[in-house]
């Protein structure tokens, strides 16, 4: 399987974002950018101007995770700012199918995210329309939370369905991922791993990535 690491800049030093990105640029596969609006989740983070500024300093693939209400009103701005993949929460829209088509029309890859309490069935009708499913393994809003164990069963189930249907959908897991939890999510079938505090919260983010990549080499299939 092709495995990918996606450092989340939520745990980076926001006063030195360019420097922080440079620390992971050569080793990361995606740069995970957490967008929070203070409504869908109880926190506020990054908007299109910051994504646009980062776009000028790196060629890393931007995996933009929208944790917002009314994502329909924001996808244009994030596409223009330089997102490569736009991931929307299934819980944040009444018209998921339409929203997916709109993101595709902007020429971007599409992800659909599920909160810990949402069943995997929510994405089954649109699974062959999208590039990635993002399973939240913490309640979205903050970095540094504890991994929720029931995510493992959801990963296992979705990986089986993806394989059965012969799809190439990526299965990304986000929240509480680090050297301790990585083996379990690899075994369950995730192939993209978001990590904030386990990478940017460490003295050397580059070394933290190397350690996680070694675990992937050892545990992956
Ligand atoms: C949480 C965000 C995550 C966050 C993960 O709402 O979606 O991407 O950065 O942080 P860690 O890896 O510290 O749990
Ligand atoms: Zn995220």
């Amino acid at each position: 399987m092709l495995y990918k690491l996606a450092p989340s800049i939520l745990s980076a030093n926001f006063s030195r974002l360019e420097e922080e990105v440079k620390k992971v640029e050569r080793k990361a596969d995606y740069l995970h950018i957490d967008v929070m609006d203070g409504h869908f989740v109880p926190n506020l983070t990054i908007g299109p101007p910051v994504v646009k500024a980062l776009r000028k300093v790196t060629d890393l693939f931007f995996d933009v995770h929208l944790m917002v209400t009314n994502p329909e009103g924001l996808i244009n701005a994030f596409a223009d700012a330089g997102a490569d993949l736009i991931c929307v929460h299934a819980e944040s829209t009444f018209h998921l199918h339409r929203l997916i088509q709109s993101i595709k029309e902007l020429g971007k890859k599409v992800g659909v995210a599920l909160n810990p309490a949402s069943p995997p069935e929510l994405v089954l009708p649109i699974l062959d329309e999208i590039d990635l499913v993002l399973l939240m393994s913490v309640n979205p809003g903050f970095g540094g939370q504890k991994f929720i164990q029931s995510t493992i069963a959801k990963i296992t189930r979705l990986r089986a369905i993806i394989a059965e249907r012969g799809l190439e959908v990526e299965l990304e897991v986000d929240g509480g991922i680090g050297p301790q939890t990585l083996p379990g999510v690899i075994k369950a079938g995730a192939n993209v791993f978001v990590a904030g505090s386990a990478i940017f919260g460490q003295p050397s983010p580059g070394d933290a990535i190397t350690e996680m990549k070694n675990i992937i080499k050892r545990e992956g299939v």
Side-chain angles (χ1 to χ4, degrees):
M1 184 138 22
L2 185 59
Y3 294 103
K4 293 176 182 169
L5 261 183
S8 164
I9 57 164
L10 186 63
S11 293
N13 179 345
F14 275 22
S15 68
R16 297 168 176 263
L17 272 184
E18 178 177 1
E19 252 174 63
E20 293 282 80
V21 170
K22 294 294 164 190
K23 290 180 189 167
V24 301
E25 196 173 42
R26 288 184 181 188
K27 292 180 177 176
D29 300 290
Y30 293 170
L31 187 70
H32 186 84
I33 302 176
D34 286 305
V35 176
M36 305 186 187
D37 69 345
H39 296 279
F40 185 73
V41 290
N43 197 3
L44 271 169
T45 56
I46 285 169
V50 176
V51 175
K52 194 174 174 187
L54 285 172
R55 188 69 290 169
K56 295 201 175 101
V57 301
T58 183
D59 289 329
L60 264 173
F61 184 98
F62 283 180
D63 163 23
V64 176
H65 178 192
L66 297 186
M67 288 160 275
V68 302
T69 54
N70 190 25
E72 287 82 358
L74 284 170
I75 55 173
N76 272 298
F78 281 101
D80 287 349
D84 293 294
L85 178 142
I86 298 178
C87 185
V88 293
H89 269 262
E91 306 88 352
S92 70
T93 176
F94 290 120
H95 302 292
L96 184 58
H97 186 277
R98 178 187 288 150
L99 179 56
I100 290 165
Q101 308 315 317
S102 308
I103 296 170
K104 284 185 182 176
E105 278 161 22
L106 293 169
K108 303 299 175 182
K109 291 202 167 189
V110 191
V112 173
L114 292 178
N115 284 331
S118 298
E121 282 72 18
L122 271 185
V123 297
L124 298 189
I126 45 83
L127 202 52
D128 48 4
E129 306 274 344
I130 62 178
D131 300 288
L132 175 146
V133 174
L134 169 54
L135 290 177
M136 287 305 306
S137 40
V138 298
N139 288 296
F142 306 93
Q145 302 181 82
K146 191 173 176 285
F147 181 83
I148 296 171
Q149 206 58 39
S150 57
T151 313
I152 295 287
K154 282 163 75 172
I155 299 172
T156 309
R157 176 148 160 68
L158 274 175
R159 174 54 70 195
I161 293 167
I162 289 167
E164 203 175 286
R165 293 201 197 168
L167 300 174
E168 284 184 7
V169 183
E170 300 204 291
L171 202 42
E172 181 176 48
V173 62
D174 182 5
I177 300 298
Q180 311 298 322
T181 46
L182 195 51
V185 293
I186 293 171
K187 199 157 167 252
N191 78 298
V192 185
F193 312 102
V194 176
S197 47
I199 294 177
F200 284 113
Q202 304 305 309
S204 165
D207 290 348
I209 294 185
T210 304
E211 187 190 349
M212 289 176 76
K213 287 209 161 168
N214 287 335
I215 296 173
I216 292 170
K217 250 184 239 156
R218 203 172 65 222
E219 307 281 336
V221 290

